[in-house]
Amino acid sequence: MLQPARRRSGKTAGLFIAGSAAFIFSVLYNGLVHLVVLGSANRQMEPLRCADFSSKIWISLAGTLAVSFLFTGIYVLFSREKNVRTGAFFGLLFGLAAAVLVDLNQYVIYPLPFALAAAWSFFGVIEFTLLGAIVGSIMRNKA
């Protein structure tokens, strides 16, 4: 299902739109999850944060922007069939990889409650699955 695509011409505008949509979705989704849904649990972790955390938020936003466009680019390059279904499947796999590489390692390295790390993983997988559906719907193959 995920194979190198053959045609790449005329995709620049679509890549920009899909990457931008992915970025906007990620910022809004993460705001909802981390500030509202997991707000009290995340506040318990404040002593582990850098004292000047808020002055470095731009780094987090730049990272989100980079991941949004990398995600979109990888999907476009390696998915022959582009639609909501394959986008969501790609997002699910990407999210599972991110959960293992990021959240599991953070649980091992930092004194985090397992329930919080598991929640971050769960919501991250959901985020990337939805992100894949969004990107897949924007970059879908023309009939």
Side-chain angles (χ1 to χ4, degrees), residues 42-51:
N42 283 334
R43 279 189 290 282
Q44 294 174 2
M45 299 296 102
E46 284 180 4
L48 298 177
R49 289 190 189 143
C50 295

Side-chain angles (χ1 to χ4, degrees), residues 77-124:
L77 283 173
F78 292 102
S79 180
R80 183 173 300 216
E81 183 181 331
K82 295 173 187 65
N83 56 44
V84 173
R85 188 172 148 263
T86 58
F89 182 67
F90 175 77
L92 174 70
L93 296 177
F94 195 98
L96 289 170
V100 170
L101 293 170
V102 177
D103 300 323
L104 181 63
N105 280 324
Q106 286 185 353
Y107 173 70
V108 169
I109 295 170
Y110 303 108
L112 301 172
F114 178 77
L116 181 59
W120 287 348
S121 294
F122 173 76
F123 285 109

Side-chain angles (χ1 to χ4, degrees), residues 50-92:
C50 295
D52 60 344
F53 172 73
S54 60
S55 70
K56 295 179 182 176
I57 198 74
W58 68 271
I59 298 170
S60 180
L61 290 170
T64 301
L65 183 66
V67 169
S68 298
F69 279 90
L70 287 169
F71 178 94
T72 302
I74 293 168
Y75 174 74
V76 169
L77 283 173
F78 292 102
S79 180
R80 183 173 300 216
E81 183 181 331
K82 295 173 187 65
N83 56 44
V84 173
R85 188 172 148 263
T86 58
F89 182 67
F90 175 77
L92 174 70

